[in-house]
Amino acid sequence: MKKKGILVVVSGFSGAGKGTLMKALLKEHGEQYALSISATTREPREGEEHGREYFFVSREEFEQMIEEDALIEYACYVGNYYGTPKSYVLEQMEAGRDVILEIEIQGALKVKERFPDTLLLFVTPPSAAELENRLRGRKTETDEVIRSRLERAVEEAEFMESYEYILVNDDLDTCVREMHELIQAQHLRTGKSREWIAKLKEELRHL
Ligand code: 5GP
């Protein structure tokens, strides 16, 4: 059975450690996974590069992508468009790689609707206090930004139950291992093997 890749959505609070987690996962299992790079109309932050963190595009370019059906999903988040380009994702899945999308909830639900085999993961620190510690520990954001991210976390927590698994990012290695195992287990779900089951049934009838 040729193994096709699946989609894995990873969402989580700002400060949950998603970036570090993704890097560690790809370092360990780089041949199995591909990270999708989104398009966005927001301005690049310092240190961000076009084609690495995001494809930074104009509103017109983004709307053109919508029109051409070049996005798997898109959402408006705090006044900017964010979307997942289709071609790279489909290409990687066809090549047997699981594609990781680091996107927010509206996009997550759209992807799940369009691709029911998608695995929805939510990453969180072990406690609210730890989330605040991590945000303050970065020392890159002002108090005001930290406050707004914590407020945003209150809203995002409302949607945690829409996800299939919650990954508590306490110990990084443990979290990477759990994530890898959950993705592997998703491949074994019966939904993923519909065609293969149909073929086996046919063969059984002919024995
Ligand atoms: P940021 O501006 O901090 O990089 O991202 C803001 C939010 O947009 C994050 O929650 C991030 O996961 C989400 N996001 C990034 N790319 C995409 C995308 O392609 N689609 C959707 N729906 N959300 C995205």
Side-chain angles (χ1 to χ4, degrees), residues 129-198:
E130 180 58 21
L131 178 67
E132 186 174 12
N133 277 343
R134 288 186 195 177
L135 282 173
R136 294 200 186 284
R138 281 179 178 179
K139 296 210 171 29
T140 49
E141 273 107 357
T142 59
D143 267 0
E144 198 188 330
V145 171
I146 292 173
R147 184 82 337 253
S148 73
R149 296 207 171 183
L150 291 172
E151 279 162 18
R152 178 97 214 159
V154 176
E155 292 168 29
E156 287 171 342
E158 286 299 316
F159 296 99
M160 282 171 78
E161 276 144 299
S162 308
Y163 287 79
E164 288 161 310
Y165 295 95
I166 304 296
L167 280 173
V168 178
N169 187 9
D170 191 358
D171 174 64
L172 181 68
D173 290 341
T174 309
C175 199
V176 168
R177 199 192 64 238
E178 286 173 349
M179 190 167 189
H180 177 64
E181 285 171 358
L182 284 172
I183 300 172
Q184 295 318 300
Q186 184 76 358
H187 276 282
L188 304 179
R189 292 182 73 113
T190 49
K192 185 78 181 49
S193 316
R194 270 175 230 115
E195 278 172 34
W196 191 83
I197 294 171

Side-chain angles (χ1 to χ4, degrees), residues 18 38-39 42 45 54 73-75 77 82-84 102-104 107:
K18 278 173 294 170
S38 298
R42 88 149 159 73
R45 293 190 190 120
Y54 284 105
E73 61 74 38
Y74 68 93
Y77 182 93
Y82 291 83
T84 307
E102 207 189 306
I103 63 177
E104 50 66 69

Side-chain angles (χ1 to χ4, degrees), residues 28-56:
E28 239 173 87
H29 306 283
E31 71 296 340
Q32 254 168 291
Y33 300 123
L35 193 59
S36 159
I37 301 171
S38 298
T40 182
T41 57
R42 88 149 159 73
E43 291 295 314
R45 293 190 190 120
E46 216 180 298
E48 284 184 334
E49 255 177 49
H50 181 77
R52 192 180 64 194
E53 279 78 14
Y54 284 105
F55 295 107
F56 297 99

